[in-house]
Amino acid sequence: MKKVLVTGGAGFIGGNFVRYMADKYSDYQIYNLDLLTYAGDLTKHRDIENKANYHFIKADIANRDEIKPLFEKERFDYVIHFAAESHVDRSITDPEIFIRTNVLGTQVLLDAAREFAVTKFVHVSTDEVYGELDFDPNTFFTEDTPLQPNSPYSASKASSDFLVRSYYETYGLPMNITRCSNNYGPYHFPEKLIPLTISRVLNDQKVPVYGDGKNIRDWLHVIDHCAAIDLVMHKAPSGEVYNIGGHNERTNLEVVKTIIHALGKSEDLIEFVEDRLGHDKRYAIDPTKLEQLGWKPTYTFETGIAQTIQWYLDNKEWWEQIISGEYQKYFEKQYAM
Ligand code: NAD
Ligand code: TYD
């Protein structure tokens, strides 16, 4: 029986990963450790919370006094580290918490993983650590692209990547780093572009598009991301970095228009607003290394966005409780719309 610690398992990707693992591996014990910040909620796990192999622990990854005794008690085999502050816009207005959670929090976990000799530490990072690409469609991020983060968020993630690497090189901690492109799918918090657009279009509200809407992101369905991490944790040689992406590049305007058309609404809902500071032009992943390990995405952008829109239609109560709470104040302050 393996014990798997998933940090940030009450958030978007970690939450999907926890369900994926609890369903797939009944012989593993899955521990979801989360501080339940604004981005974490447990209602998403009502369907698995009574499973014998699922456990929730409320704790702060940056608090050594909470983390060390936990590792001492449970002796985890794997750590899959998702917990982070993850929203670029919030990092522009308030960078400090990003350093505490993403940098210090990762270091606290690394110390515990090292002291209690985990089998593997998988660090879930982002393609944003590579900085930005220009609009030449033949250029991609590979694992050898130099790290040139541009936002406080991506700088904090790059710092944590370097720490993970250093614990491998210095102490021999078994690890992998994964760098994924933009995810979308069920339980995506409605501050991010795709769920923000779906929820606002459904309520006939304006959708804020930054700048001219021509920035490009490479979209990956969250379930394809979960399968990639499953593969990396079990099959990847220690010390290796893997990029995760499925060649689904779209401009932001294309994404927003796709959603508007699928919901039968008017493009008049689009409102161009002031651009994000330091807005990265384009992200695009070369996933060859991960494909060679045996990964293949199951969704195209077309099938994935259709499934996601349907999920938001079927699960209104989940996102309505979020947008009616504290989040409303954030929206008003961020956009002044
Ligand atoms: P999210 O913001 O939805 O969830 C983050 C979770 O971490 C929340 O449940 C939150 O409560 C928890 N958390 C925050 N601070 C904590 C702390 N101090 N201690 C314990 N838990 C804490 O994020 P997400 O979109 O699911 O992203 C998960 C990971 O994947 C992040 O590391 C992010 O950098 C990375 N990533 C995300 C994307 C994306 O498109 N969302 C793409 C590439 C990489
Ligand atoms: P986001 O979902 O915040 O992810 P990231 O910044 O990590 O890529 O944003 C995706 C793209 O959508 C990014 O280019 C910024 C843009 N965007 C908007 O145009 N309007 C918005 O209201 C938001 C949140 C994002």
Side-chain angles (χ1 to χ4, degrees), residues 10-13 34-35 37 40 59-61 82 84 86 125 153 157 183:
F12 164 46
I13 309 175
D34 201 291
L35 184 59
T37 68
D60 177 359
I61 57 164
F82 293 92
S86 69
S125 188
Y153 162 67
K157 291 296 291 187
N183 282 219

Side-chain angles (χ1 to χ4, degrees), residues 7 33 35 60-68 71 81 83-85 95-113 121 123 152-153 155-164 166-167:
T7 71
L33 182 154
L35 184 59
D60 177 359
I61 57 164
N63 184 339
R64 219 169 271 280
D65 297 337
E66 289 178 5
I67 296 302
K68 187 178 162 183
F71 274 69
H81 177 33
E85 288 294 331
E96 193 172 331
I97 184 74
F98 285 72
I99 305 307
R100 183 184 184 276
T101 301
N102 301 359
V103 185
L104 178 63
T106 300
Q107 196 245 332
V108 168
L109 287 169
L110 286 168
D111 278 343
F121 188 102
H123 179 60
Y153 162 67
S156 70
K157 291 296 291 187
S159 307
S160 63
D161 287 20
F162 283 136
L163 278 171
V164 176
S166 78
Y167 274 60

Side-chain angles (χ1 to χ4, degrees), residues 7 27 58-59 105 116 127 136-137 150 152 185 187 200 206 232 240 242 248 251 261 272 281-282 294 309 324:
T7 71
D27 54 332
K58 184 165 191 266
F116 298 101
D127 60 356
D136 173 356
N150 292 322
Y187 297 111
R200 290 188 68 83
K206 293 275 189 187
V232 167
E240 295 294 322
Y242 291 88
N248 285 300
T251 66
H261 296 160
F272 291 96
K281 285 201 266 300
R282 174 173 165 259
I309 292 171
S324 62

